[in-house]
mmCIF file of all heavy atoms in Angstrom:
data_model
loop_
_atom_site.group_PDB
_atom_site.id
_atom_site.type_symbol
_atom_site.label_atom_id
_atom_site.label_comp_id
_atom_site.label_asym_id
_atom_site.label_seq_id
_atom_site.Cartn_x
_atom_site.Cartn_y
_atom_site.Cartn_z
ATOM 1 N N GLY A 1 -10.021 -78.833 3.179
ATOM 2 C CA GLY A 1 -9.268 -79.770 4.014
ATOM 3 C C GLY A 1 -9.628 -79.570 5.598
ATOM 4 O O GLY A 1 -9.698 -80.521 6.245
ATOM 5 N N GLY A 2 -9.864 -78.333 5.915
ATOM 6 C CA GLY A 2 -10.304 -78.067 7.235
ATOM 7 C C GLY A 2 -11.558 -78.635 7.610
ATOM 8 O O GLY A 2 -11.888 -79.259 8.596
ATOM 9 N N LEU A 3 -12.605 -78.576 6.574
ATOM 10 C CA LEU A 3 -13.840 -79.175 6.697
ATOM 11 C C LEU A 3 -13.773 -80.713 6.800
ATOM 12 O O LEU A 3 -14.477 -81.319 7.530
ATOM 13 C CB LEU A 3 -14.780 -78.694 5.678
ATOM 14 C CG LEU A 3 -15.038 -77.159 5.720
ATOM 15 C CD1 LEU A 3 -15.742 -76.692 4.379
ATOM 16 C CD2 LEU A 3 -15.942 -76.789 6.752
ATOM 17 N N LEU A 4 -12.941 -81.254 5.965
ATOM 18 C CA LEU A 4 -12.663 -82.723 6.060
ATOM 19 C C LEU A 4 -12.174 -83.105 7.408
ATOM 20 O O LEU A 4 -12.783 -84.157 7.943
ATOM 21 C CB LEU A 4 -11.633 -83.160 4.991
ATOM 22 C CG LEU A 4 -12.140 -83.214 3.464
ATOM 23 C CD1 LEU A 4 -11.065 -83.431 2.612
ATOM 24 C CD2 LEU A 4 -13.224 -84.208 3.283
ATOM 25 N N ALA A 5 -11.365 -82.364 7.959
ATOM 26 C CA ALA A 5 -10.788 -82.698 9.293
ATOM 27 C C ALA A 5 -11.860 -82.508 10.374
ATOM 28 O O ALA A 5 -11.738 -83.165 11.491
ATOM 29 C CB ALA A 5 -9.661 -81.708 9.580
ATOM 30 N N GLN A 6 -12.884 -81.755 10.170
ATOM 31 C CA GLN A 6 -13.979 -81.663 11.123
ATOM 32 C C GLN A 6 -15.041 -82.675 10.886
ATOM 33 O O GLN A 6 -15.994 -82.724 11.704
ATOM 34 C CB GLN A 6 -14.673 -80.268 10.908
ATOM 35 C CG GLN A 6 -13.744 -79.022 11.286
ATOM 36 C CD GLN A 6 -14.358 -77.790 11.127
ATOM 37 O OE1 GLN A 6 -15.522 -77.571 11.381
ATOM 38 N NE2 GLN A 6 -13.582 -76.846 10.430
ATOM 39 N N GLY A 7 -14.841 -83.567 9.995
ATOM 40 C CA GLY A 7 -15.705 -84.783 9.879
ATOM 41 C C GLY A 7 -16.659 -84.699 8.708
ATOM 42 O O GLY A 7 -17.549 -85.631 8.642
ATOM 43 N N LEU A 8 -16.588 -83.757 7.872
ATOM 44 C CA LEU A 8 -17.687 -83.690 6.737
ATOM 45 C C LEU A 8 -17.150 -84.731 5.760
ATOM 46 O O LEU A 8 -15.958 -85.001 5.546
ATOM 47 C CB LEU A 8 -17.631 -82.318 6.222
ATOM 48 C CG LEU A 8 -18.622 -81.364 6.652
ATOM 49 C CD1 LEU A 8 -18.389 -80.905 8.070
ATOM 50 C CD2 LEU A 8 -18.815 -80.173 5.574
ATOM 51 N N ALA A 9 -18.156 -85.277 5.067
ATOM 52 C CA ALA A 9 -17.826 -86.153 3.921
ATOM 53 C C ALA A 9 -17.208 -85.388 2.770
ATOM 54 O O ALA A 9 -17.380 -84.157 2.751
ATOM 55 C CB ALA A 9 -19.056 -86.860 3.504
ATOM 56 N N PRO A 10 -16.382 -86.033 1.997
ATOM 57 C CA PRO A 10 -15.568 -85.295 1.031
ATOM 58 C C PRO A 10 -16.552 -84.388 -0.012
ATOM 59 O O PRO A 10 -16.148 -83.233 -0.175
ATOM 60 C CB PRO A 10 -14.932 -86.411 0.086
ATOM 61 C CG PRO A 10 -14.765 -87.503 1.184
ATOM 62 C CD PRO A 10 -16.014 -87.383 2.061
ATOM 63 N N PHE A 11 -17.666 -84.910 -0.414
ATOM 64 C CA PHE A 11 -18.452 -84.189 -1.370
ATOM 65 C C PHE A 11 -19.084 -82.971 -0.527
ATOM 66 O O PHE A 11 -19.077 -81.858 -1.145
ATOM 67 C CB PHE A 11 -19.704 -84.942 -2.010
ATOM 68 C CG PHE A 11 -20.307 -84.281 -2.925
ATOM 69 C CD1 PHE A 11 -19.799 -83.982 -4.278
ATOM 70 C CD2 PHE A 11 -21.702 -83.848 -2.711
ATOM 71 C CE1 PHE A 11 -20.518 -83.232 -5.173
ATOM 72 C CE2 PHE A 11 -22.378 -83.067 -3.628
ATOM 73 C CZ PHE A 11 -21.864 -82.761 -4.875
ATOM 74 N N GLU A 12 -19.543 -83.109 0.531
ATOM 75 C CA GLU A 12 -20.128 -82.063 1.466
ATOM 76 C C GLU A 12 -19.054 -80.935 1.698
ATOM 77 O O GLU A 12 -19.188 -79.876 1.759
ATOM 78 C CB GLU A 12 -20.906 -82.527 2.638
ATOM 79 C CG GLU A 12 -22.184 -83.204 2.405
ATOM 80 C CD GLU A 12 -22.013 -84.615 1.791
ATOM 81 O OE1 GLU A 12 -20.977 -85.208 1.921
ATOM 82 O OE2 GLU A 12 -23.019 -85.102 1.269
ATOM 83 N N ALA A 13 -17.832 -81.499 2.061
ATOM 84 C CA ALA A 13 -16.733 -80.585 2.374
ATOM 85 C C ALA A 13 -16.267 -79.747 1.041
ATOM 86 O O ALA A 13 -16.084 -78.558 1.353
ATOM 87 C CB ALA A 13 -15.487 -81.324 2.824
ATOM 88 N N ALA A 14 -16.346 -80.435 -0.053
ATOM 89 C CA ALA A 14 -16.069 -79.521 -1.215
ATOM 90 C C ALA A 14 -17.189 -78.558 -1.504
ATOM 91 O O ALA A 14 -16.872 -77.384 -1.783
ATOM 92 C CB ALA A 14 -15.998 -80.492 -2.479
ATOM 93 N N GLN A 15 -18.454 -78.827 -1.275
ATOM 94 C CA GLN A 15 -19.572 -77.888 -1.524
ATOM 95 C C GLN A 15 -19.405 -76.744 -0.535
ATOM 96 O O GLN A 15 -19.553 -75.638 -0.936
ATOM 97 C CB GLN A 15 -20.885 -78.638 -1.291
ATOM 98 C CG GLN A 15 -21.312 -79.556 -2.493
ATOM 99 C CD GLN A 15 -22.600 -80.199 -2.223
ATOM 100 O OE1 GLN A 15 -22.944 -80.665 -1.135
ATOM 101 N NE2 GLN A 15 -23.473 -80.079 -3.230
ATOM 102 N N ALA A 16 -19.268 -77.097 0.725
ATOM 103 C CA ALA A 16 -19.256 -76.036 1.784
ATOM 104 C C ALA A 16 -17.949 -75.230 1.602
ATOM 105 O O ALA A 16 -17.897 -74.052 1.804
ATOM 106 C CB ALA A 16 -19.189 -76.739 3.158
ATOM 107 N N GLY A 17 -16.856 -75.829 1.248
ATOM 108 C CA GLY A 17 -15.698 -75.056 0.994
ATOM 109 C C GLY A 17 -15.720 -74.033 -0.120
ATOM 110 O O GLY A 17 -15.305 -72.948 -0.004
ATOM 111 N N VAL A 18 -16.294 -74.509 -1.163
ATOM 112 C CA VAL A 18 -16.505 -73.524 -2.292
ATOM 113 C C VAL A 18 -17.464 -72.396 -1.983
ATOM 114 O O VAL A 18 -17.191 -71.292 -2.209
ATOM 115 C CB VAL A 18 -17.035 -74.327 -3.615
ATOM 116 C CG1 VAL A 18 -17.554 -73.324 -4.608
ATOM 117 C CG2 VAL A 18 -15.931 -75.253 -4.072
ATOM 118 N N PHE A 19 -18.532 -72.725 -1.222
ATOM 119 C CA PHE A 19 -19.349 -71.692 -0.754
ATOM 120 C C PHE A 19 -18.769 -70.776 0.240
ATOM 121 O O PHE A 19 -18.844 -69.537 0.093
ATOM 122 C CB PHE A 19 -20.640 -72.413 -0.035
ATOM 123 C CG PHE A 19 -21.701 -71.458 0.474
ATOM 124 C CD1 PHE A 19 -22.545 -70.801 -0.311
ATOM 125 C CD2 PHE A 19 -21.863 -71.296 1.801
ATOM 126 C CE1 PHE A 19 -23.384 -69.950 0.000
ATOM 127 C CE2 PHE A 19 -22.813 -70.387 2.334
ATOM 128 C CZ PHE A 19 -23.591 -69.743 1.435
ATOM 129 N N LEU A 20 -18.054 -71.265 1.197
ATOM 130 C CA LEU A 20 -17.320 -70.307 2.112
ATOM 131 C C LEU A 20 -16.236 -69.534 1.386
ATOM 132 O O LEU A 20 -16.201 -68.334 1.735
ATOM 133 C CB LEU A 20 -16.600 -71.141 3.140
ATOM 134 C CG LEU A 20 -17.587 -71.963 4.186
ATOM 135 C CD1 LEU A 20 -16.876 -72.812 5.106
ATOM 136 C CD2 LEU A 20 -18.368 -70.821 5.027
ATOM 137 N N HIS A 21 -15.560 -70.105 0.406
ATOM 138 C CA HIS A 21 -14.552 -69.383 -0.306
ATOM 139 C C HIS A 21 -15.211 -68.197 -1.085
ATOM 140 O O HIS A 21 -14.674 -67.049 -1.135
ATOM 141 C CB HIS A 21 -13.983 -70.338 -1.248
ATOM 142 C CG HIS A 21 -12.736 -69.724 -1.991
ATOM 143 N ND1 HIS A 21 -12.803 -69.102 -3.261
ATOM 144 C CD2 HIS A 21 -11.475 -69.672 -1.601
ATOM 145 C CE1 HIS A 21 -11.628 -68.624 -3.569
ATOM 146 N NE2 HIS A 21 -10.736 -69.113 -2.639
ATOM 147 N N GLY A 22 -16.431 -68.401 -1.668
ATOM 148 C CA GLY A 22 -17.149 -67.500 -2.449
ATOM 149 C C GLY A 22 -17.590 -66.269 -1.503
ATOM 150 O O GLY A 22 -17.440 -65.048 -1.844
ATOM 151 N N LEU A 23 -18.111 -66.668 -0.287
ATOM 152 C CA LEU A 23 -18.431 -65.654 0.742
ATOM 153 C C LEU A 23 -17.334 -64.795 1.170
ATOM 154 O O LEU A 23 -17.314 -63.641 1.329
ATOM 155 C CB LEU A 23 -19.197 -66.265 1.918
ATOM 156 C CG LEU A 23 -20.549 -66.894 1.594
ATOM 157 C CD1 LEU A 23 -21.145 -67.580 2.895
ATOM 158 C CD2 LEU A 23 -21.463 -65.906 1.094
ATOM 159 N N ALA A 24 -16.127 -65.530 1.327
ATOM 160 C CA ALA A 24 -14.979 -64.704 1.759
ATOM 161 C C ALA A 24 -14.526 -63.729 0.646
ATOM 162 O O ALA A 24 -14.054 -62.677 1.001
ATOM 163 C CB ALA A 24 -13.818 -65.762 2.074
ATOM 164 N N GLY A 25 -14.613 -64.210 -0.549
ATOM 165 C CA GLY A 25 -14.259 -63.260 -1.697
ATOM 166 C C GLY A 25 -15.351 -62.054 -1.660
ATOM 167 O O GLY A 25 -14.790 -60.954 -1.932
ATOM 168 N N GLU A 26 -16.595 -62.314 -1.424
ATOM 169 C CA GLU A 26 -17.473 -61.182 -1.384
ATOM 170 C C GLU A 26 -17.188 -60.278 -0.267
ATOM 171 O O GLU A 26 -17.220 -59.092 -0.307
ATOM 172 C CB GLU A 26 -18.862 -61.648 -1.342
ATOM 173 C CG GLU A 26 -19.371 -62.213 -2.669
ATOM 174 C CD GLU A 26 -20.824 -62.579 -2.563
ATOM 175 O OE1 GLU A 26 -21.618 -62.265 -1.673
ATOM 176 O OE2 GLU A 26 -21.263 -63.336 -3.525
ATOM 177 N N ALA A 27 -16.891 -60.819 0.883
ATOM 178 C CA ALA A 27 -16.529 -59.931 2.053
ATOM 179 C C ALA A 27 -15.235 -59.080 1.784
ATOM 180 O O ALA A 27 -15.249 -57.995 2.212
ATOM 181 C CB ALA A 27 -16.299 -60.890 3.266
ATOM 182 N N PHE A 28 -14.254 -59.785 1.226
ATOM 183 C CA PHE A 28 -13.044 -59.033 0.869
ATOM 184 C C PHE A 28 -13.336 -57.841 -0.085
ATOM 185 O O PHE A 28 -12.940 -56.747 0.218
ATOM 186 C CB PHE A 28 -11.985 -59.965 0.140
ATOM 187 C CG PHE A 28 -10.734 -59.288 -0.102
ATOM 188 C CD1 PHE A 28 -9.596 -59.405 0.718
ATOM 189 C CD2 PHE A 28 -10.628 -58.601 -1.323
ATOM 190 C CE1 PHE A 28 -8.502 -58.727 0.430
ATOM 191 C CE2 PHE A 28 -9.420 -57.949 -1.618
ATOM 192 C CZ PHE A 28 -8.402 -57.907 -0.787
ATOM 193 N N ARG A 29 -14.099 -58.178 -1.087
ATOM 194 C CA ARG A 29 -14.398 -57.144 -2.002
ATOM 195 C C ARG A 29 -15.188 -55.911 -1.456
ATOM 196 O O ARG A 29 -14.936 -54.765 -1.750
ATOM 197 C CB ARG A 29 -15.224 -57.709 -3.258
ATOM 198 C CG ARG A 29 -15.581 -56.623 -4.226
ATOM 199 C CD ARG A 29 -16.516 -57.220 -5.363
ATOM 200 N NE ARG A 29 -17.565 -58.069 -4.707
ATOM 201 C CZ ARG A 29 -18.791 -58.194 -5.119
ATOM 202 N NH1 ARG A 29 -19.084 -57.439 -6.112
ATOM 203 N NH2 ARG A 29 -19.727 -58.793 -4.428
ATOM 204 N N ALA A 30 -16.170 -56.272 -0.656
ATOM 205 C CA ALA A 30 -16.988 -55.224 0.126
ATOM 206 C C ALA A 30 -16.072 -54.395 1.146
ATOM 207 O O ALA A 30 -16.221 -53.140 1.120
ATOM 208 C CB ALA A 30 -18.106 -55.961 1.043
ATOM 209 N N GLU A 31 -15.064 -54.931 1.578
ATOM 210 C CA GLU A 31 -14.120 -54.180 2.544
ATOM 211 C C GLU A 31 -13.016 -53.565 1.905
ATOM 212 O O GLU A 31 -12.652 -52.380 2.198
ATOM 213 C CB GLU A 31 -13.645 -55.235 3.623
ATOM 214 C CG GLU A 31 -12.883 -54.506 4.672
ATOM 215 C CD GLU A 31 -12.389 -55.472 5.813
ATOM 216 O OE1 GLU A 31 -13.292 -56.113 6.320
ATOM 217 O OE2 GLU A 31 -11.163 -55.680 6.021
ATOM 218 N N ARG A 32 -12.317 -54.152 0.876
ATOM 219 C CA ARG A 32 -11.172 -53.630 0.324
ATOM 220 C C ARG A 32 -11.182 -53.359 -1.166
ATOM 221 O O ARG A 32 -10.186 -52.880 -1.802
ATOM 222 C CB ARG A 32 -10.008 -54.698 0.525
ATOM 223 C CG ARG A 32 -9.767 -54.906 2.011
ATOM 224 C CD ARG A 32 -8.596 -55.764 2.202
ATOM 225 N NE ARG A 32 -8.491 -56.350 3.590
ATOM 226 C CZ ARG A 32 -7.547 -57.155 3.952
ATOM 227 N NH1 ARG A 32 -6.536 -57.546 3.072
ATOM 228 N NH2 ARG A 32 -7.551 -57.617 5.144
ATOM 229 N N GLY A 33 -12.317 -53.736 -1.871
ATOM 230 C CA GLY A 33 -12.310 -53.501 -3.232
ATOM 231 C C GLY A 33 -11.996 -54.684 -4.062
ATOM 232 O O GLY A 33 -11.667 -55.765 -3.411
ATOM 233 N N GLU A 34 -12.002 -54.578 -5.466
ATOM 234 C CA GLU A 34 -11.934 -55.784 -6.242
ATOM 235 C C GLU A 34 -10.343 -56.047 -6.542
ATOM 236 O O GLU A 34 -9.908 -57.156 -7.017
ATOM 237 C CB GLU A 34 -12.651 -55.654 -7.547
ATOM 238 C CG GLU A 34 -14.079 -55.714 -7.206
ATOM 239 C CD GLU A 34 -14.915 -55.639 -8.541
ATOM 240 O OE1 GLU A 34 -14.456 -55.825 -9.614
ATOM 241 O OE2 GLU A 34 -16.065 -55.429 -8.347
ATOM 242 N N ALA A 35 -9.469 -55.084 -6.502
ATOM 243 C CA ALA A 35 -8.129 -55.304 -6.912
ATOM 244 C C ALA A 35 -7.078 -55.730 -5.783
ATOM 245 O O ALA A 35 -7.364 -55.446 -4.563
ATOM 246 C CB ALA A 35 -7.549 -53.892 -7.474
ATOM 247 N N GLY A 36 -6.201 -56.503 -6.184
ATOM 248 C CA GLY A 36 -5.078 -56.885 -5.196
ATOM 249 C C GLY A 36 -5.416 -58.005 -4.263
ATOM 250 O O GLY A 36 -4.759 -58.115 -3.124
ATOM 251 N N LEU A 37 -6.260 -58.833 -4.574
ATOM 252 C CA LEU A 37 -6.682 -59.883 -3.699
ATOM 253 C C LEU A 37 -5.641 -61.139 -3.748
ATOM 254 O O LEU A 37 -5.313 -61.486 -4.912
ATOM 255 C CB LEU A 37 -8.079 -60.551 -3.992
ATOM 256 C CG LEU A 37 -8.465 -61.762 -3.391
ATOM 257 C CD1 LEU A 37 -8.489 -61.644 -1.776
ATOM 258 C CD2 LEU A 37 -9.877 -62.267 -3.903
ATOM 259 N N LEU A 38 -5.077 -61.545 -2.724
ATOM 260 C CA LEU A 38 -4.346 -62.804 -2.674
ATOM 261 C C LEU A 38 -5.258 -63.802 -2.010
ATOM 262 O O LEU A 38 -5.990 -63.554 -1.086
ATOM 263 C CB LEU A 38 -3.036 -62.489 -1.720
ATOM 264 C CG LEU A 38 -2.110 -61.570 -2.268
ATOM 265 C CD1 LEU A 38 -1.003 -61.238 -1.169
ATOM 266 C CD2 LEU A 38 -1.586 -61.844 -3.555
ATOM 267 N N ALA A 39 -5.087 -65.022 -2.575
ATOM 268 C CA ALA A 39 -5.910 -66.102 -2.056
ATOM 269 C C ALA A 39 -5.709 -66.347 -0.511
ATOM 270 O O ALA A 39 -6.661 -66.716 0.172
ATOM 271 C CB ALA A 39 -5.535 -67.470 -2.821
ATOM 272 N N SER A 40 -4.484 -66.253 -0.042
ATOM 273 C CA SER A 40 -4.181 -66.396 1.325
ATOM 274 C C SER A 40 -4.903 -65.365 2.185
ATOM 275 O O SER A 40 -5.089 -65.649 3.432
ATOM 276 C CB SER A 40 -2.720 -66.201 1.648
ATOM 277 O OG SER A 40 -2.124 -64.988 1.223
#
């Protein structure tokens, strides 16, 4: 939704959002481990 608000087309926003979400998950795991992750 944030990427859509920045002007990305829906498909590109979905692709970028999924990519960013995955990178955020990897960053969380590297810093805090695999257990206890909340999406927020």
